[in-house]
Amino acid sequence: MALVLRRSATIYAHAHVATARTVRTTSQHSLASSSTDFSKPIELRSDTFTRPCDGMRKAMYAAEVGDACYNEDKTVQRLEEAVAGLLGKEAGMFAASGTMTNLLALAAHCKRGDEIILGHQNHIYNYEGGGASALLGVAFHPVATLENGANRMEDLREAIRDDDFHFARTSLVAVETTHNKANGAPLPLSFMDDVAGLCREHSLIFHVDGARLMNASVALQTPASEIVRHTDSVSLCLSKGLGAPVGSVLVGTHSVIKEAKRQRKVLGGGWRQAGVLAAAGLYALEHNVGKLERDHCNARRLAEGFSQIPGIVCDPSAVASNIVYFRVLGLPAGEVVRRLKEEFNVLLGIGAYRGDRLRAVTNLMVTEQDIARVVLAMSEIVGQTNRAKVDRACGIFRETAVAV
């Protein structure tokens, strides 16, 4: 009996050590031969971590400025006009963040006691501090978010309240594209049209959280103005994939933007010499939109690399833009984040995302060589984990054999 157990332990060890050794040898050889400079951090926590390039900094330094509250900052004016034109709307308003432009859109459209319909995984509902409820007295009515970031039309339709004083007034439908928690998926154009039709049918406002709208435009190979052509307002973030340090722009009709600017002042968001920041946004629109496709390609490379590593669950076919979600079997997400940072200077965050799902966001600062380094780093971490499991398993077999 002892002989059988020892033989089983040997077979088990050989099979698993071979796999672990292959991962270890491949990763160590590649890491060594690449002469990688590990002093350079690789930033994958979010595309909000991008930093202004030299050209952007020069544009900021040279910006023409004035008092934006008096409507005298010409650079802010140019930015607002540029984004409004890009998205096919009448006017725009520059604000500090996407959370603020979303909030100001709701403030411009809704009354206290109104209710808005949106997906349960949408950023406005999950990650903007409940501002619509806390500051505006506006209630949320969440419906299920599908894997592609869209919602079932029957769910949206059923969420619309009857005109009865017992109920909150349904006033607005909000969507998000690309959709962060749906693997960065751009919403289908057919879905956008369907939501617009529903809103027209029921006299509702249609707002788009387009924090990464330009990523959606690149992914769908469709002009951004075409994506949002039937919407009432759109928020576009400049400080994510576009690489500006600060700011978002809300666009809509002249009347909507006029009211949004009033509400911005109430929230303490009035600008003074904001042209130095608006200049960064203008530079981003002119120089960085064309670079988003590279970010998407790098995200696909990362997902493909992860999918080849035993122990990592990642679906490359789900990657549509610059966001990659994955899981590492047998390791807590926090442990993966810690080891990537401490051992390989790779920055990956969990943040508000609970559970074992990890997110990597490619951006302007990440190169194709960086992607290869991250894949190798993950191979090494998984390989070490597998080797530790093999050692523990072999130890158990040895103890059992000796006991017998």
Side-chain angles (χ1 to χ4, degrees):
M1 181 66 177
L3 179 61
V4 172
L5 286 171
R6 289 192 186 96
R7 183 173 299 167
S8 298
T10 302
I11 294 172
Y12 182 91
H14 284 171
H16 285 76
V17 169
T19 300
R21 185 181 296 122
T22 299
V23 172
R24 180 181 71 243
T25 303
T26 301
S27 65
Q28 288 181 335
H29 173 74
S30 301
L31 286 170
S33 62
S34 64
S35 301
T36 305
D37 178 10
F38 289 98
S39 65
K40 178 203 170 188
I42 300 176
E43 182 56 78
L44 291 171
R45 287 175 290 179
S46 177
D47 44 9
T48 60
F49 284 87
T50 54
R51 299 175 183 176
C53 64
D54 290 342
M56 184 178 287
R57 291 174 186 270
K58 290 177 182 177
M60 295 170 71
Y61 179 82
E64 182 180 7
V65 299
D67 194 311
C69 276
Y70 283 82
N71 202 33
E72 292 180 1
D73 193 308
K74 296 187 183 302
T75 308
V76 169
Q77 291 173 19
R78 286 197 294 271
L79 174 63
E80 292 171 341
E81 292 168 0
V83 177
L86 178 68
L87 303 186
K89 304 302 181 186
E90 293 178 2
M93 179 199 66
F94 183 43
S97 68
T99 293
M100 180 175 277
T101 47
N102 281 330
L103 182 64
L104 292 173
L106 301 183
H109 291 306
C110 303
K111 303 187 186 81
R112 297 187 70 82
D114 281 3
E115 183 175 77
I116 67 171
I117 303 170
L118 73 176
H120 81 291
Q121 297 280 33
N122 284 26
H123 196 278
I124 292 175
Y125 182 61
N126 286 286
Y127 304 120
E128 299 187 6
S133 298
L135 302 177
L136 307 178
V138 172
F140 296 111
H141 191 147
V143 300
T145 300
L146 305 178
E147 288 187 359
N148 66 350
N151 316 104
R152 286 182 288 267
M153 293 308 300
E154 56 267 31
D155 289 348
L156 294 175
R157 187 176 296 276
E158 289 177 7
I160 299 172
R161 302 285 190 179
D162 291 336
D163 186 10
D164 185 308
F165 60 74
H166 291 91
F167 305 137
R169 293 180 297 263
T170 303
S171 61
L172 180 146
V173 177
V175 301
E176 176 185 340
T177 189
T178 61
H179 198 291
N180 171 28
K181 296 203 75 175
N183 296 295
L187 296 179
L189 297 178
S190 59
F191 172 73
M192 297 290 287
D193 290 342
D194 289 344
V195 175
L198 180 69
C199 289
R200 285 194 300 270
E201 179 184 347
H202 293 273
S203 300
L204 303 178
I205 300 298
F206 186 11
H207 173 69
V208 175
D209 174 4
R212 296 184 176 92
L213 177 60
M214 299 314 298
N215 291 88
S217 175
V218 170
L220 295 172
Q221 299 182 3
T222 303
S225 58
E226 181 70 10
I227 297 173
V228 299
R229 67 189 185 281
H230 296 312
T231 64
D232 297 291
S233 57
V234 184
S235 169
L236 174 67
C237 189
L238 303 169
S239 61
K240 289 188 169 67
L242 295 180
V246 174
S248 291
V249 177
L250 175 69
V251 298
T253 63
H254 287 295
S255 61
V256 166
I257 296 305
K258 180 179 180 180
E259 180 61 23
K261 286 184 176 180
R262 171 180 287 276
Q263 297 299 327
R264 181 183 63 182
K265 184 64 177 176
V266 171
L267 292 176
W271 294 111
R272 296 302 178 182
Q273 289 72 32
V276 290
L277 297 176
L282 286 167
Y283 183 95
L285 291 172
E286 182 179 351
H287 295 89
N288 293 345
V289 173
K291 297 177 182 178
L292 295 176
E293 177 58 34
R294 187 195 69 173
D295 295 344
H296 296 189
C297 289
N298 279 336
R300 288 191 290 271
R301 290 189 186 99
L302 186 65
E304 289 164 0
F306 284 171
S307 70
Q308 299 301 310
I309 302 173
I312 294 183
V313 179
C314 185
D315 181 7
S317 67
V319 177
S321 59
N322 68 324
I323 297 176
V324 178
Y325 281 100
F326 64 100
R327 289 180 170 85
V328 180
L329 301 179
L331 273 179
E335 177 73 4
V336 176
V337 170
R338 182 189 65 79
R339 292 179 62 180
L340 280 173
K341 180 180 179 180
E342 294 179 358
E343 299 174 24
F344 299 99
N345 211 1
V346 175
L347 304 178
L348 196 71
I350 308 171
Y353 306 98
R354 294 176 295 178
D356 61 351
R357 195 163 80 142
L358 290 153
R359 187 186 76 159
V361 185
T362 55
N363 56 75
L364 285 167
M365 300 192 303
V366 176
T367 66
E368 186 176 347
Q369 291 72 30
D370 292 336
I371 295 299
R373 178 175 139 195
V374 174
V375 172
L376 291 170
M378 286 301 307
S379 296
E380 178 64 13
I381 288 174
V382 172
Q384 291 171 0
T385 302
N386 288 341
R387 291 195 297 277
K389 289 180 179 179
V390 168
D391 290 342
R392 286 195 297 272
C394 290
I396 292 171
F397 271 109
R398 284 194 295 271
E399 291 173 1
T400 303
V402 169
V404 172

